[in-house]
Amino acid sequence: MDKGQFIFGGEVVNWIAKFIILSLVIFLIVLVIGTGIGKKETHILQHNLISFNILSGCFNYVGGRIHPSTIKLEEFNQANFERCFAIEDNKAVKLQLSYVEKSIELNLNKNFIDRIIDCKKQDLICKKTNHPVIVYSSDGNRILGKLTIESYYYE
C-alpha cells in the first residue's frame, strides 16, 4: 500500500469518527430539549407508586403481617392516611373504600380537591384507578370491597 492510500484511509476513518461523535452530540441535545417524559407521565408514575403503597402497606396489617390488597377497616382512617403520605400543595389524593352498602372517603389536601371542577382543564392532571380489595372488619369478617384511588396534580 502506498503512502497516499494510507493517508486517505486515515482521513476517512477520522471523518467517520467525527461524524459519529457529532451525531451523538445532536442526539443528546434533542433528548435533553425534547425529553419524552413530561409532567403527565411523571404524575401517572407517582399515582402508580401511591397506589402500590396504599395496597401494600398503609392500611393492611392483619395479625401483625402485611397482606397486599387487603384493608383493615379500623386502620382505614384519616390519621393513618396522613401518617403514611406527605404530598406537596399542588397535589391531592382521594381514597374511597366501598363495601357492602357503605362508603368511606379519605382525602389528602382536601382544600385542593374541593376546588376541582373539571379535570379536563389543560393545567390539571387527574388519574383514577379502581382496585378490588378484601376488607377485614373489626369482628374478623372478610368482605369484598373496592378501593378507588384518585390523584390530582396542578402544574
Side-chain angles (χ1 to χ4, degrees):
M1 178 163 54
D2 69 0
K3 190 174 181 178
Q5 287 178 333
F6 181 73
I7 292 173
F8 179 73
E11 287 181 28
V12 169
V13 170
N14 190 15
W15 280 104
I16 290 174
K18 288 179 181 179
F19 177 75
I20 291 172
I21 291 172
L22 181 63
S23 298
L24 285 173
V25 168
I26 291 172
F27 174 74
L28 288 175
I29 289 171
V30 168
L31 185 66
V32 168
I33 291 174
T35 183
I37 298 179
K39 291 181 181 180
K40 184 172 184 177
E41 289 82 7
T42 302
H43 176 67
I44 291 170
L45 177 62
Q46 288 176 347
H47 174 85
N48 292 338
L49 289 172
I50 288 171
S51 299
F52 176 76
N53 286 337
I54 289 169
L55 293 170
S56 64
C58 210
F59 306 110
N60 48 16
Y61 289 96
V62 178
R65 296 178 43 201
I66 295 176
H67 297 271
S69 295
T70 62
I71 293 181
K72 192 172 181 181
L73 197 53
E74 57 203 31
E75 291 186 16
F76 191 77
N77 56 50
Q78 190 67 36
N80 279 345
F81 191 32
E82 290 172 0
R83 181 181 48 83
C84 284
F85 295 99
I87 58 172
E88 297 90 16
D89 290 338
N90 63 339
K91 297 178 184 171
V93 179
K94 179 166 85 171
L95 302 180
Q96 183 170 8
L97 177 62
S98 304
Y99 61 100
V100 188
E101 293 183 13
K102 298 179 182 175
S103 181
I104 301 171
E105 186 175 294
L106 305 178
N107 296 298
L108 280 182
N109 203 352
K110 183 162 176 37
N111 293 334
F112 182 90
I113 293 172
D114 290 341
R115 290 182 287 158
I116 295 172
I117 296 169
D118 184 12
C119 270
K120 296 188 190 243
K121 284 177 60 177
Q122 183 71 23
D123 53 356
L124 186 62
I125 301 171
C126 305
K127 178 84 172 142
K128 178 179 180 179
T129 53
N130 294 312
H131 305 274
V133 293
I134 297 173
V135 179
Y136 282 87
S137 63
S138 55
D139 58 0
N141 291 332
R142 289 181 268 186
I143 308 162
L144 187 59
K146 177 178 81 169
L147 180 66
T148 301
I149 303 172
E150 296 179 45
S151 61
Y152 306 96
Y153 175 67
Y154 182 75
E155 297 183 282

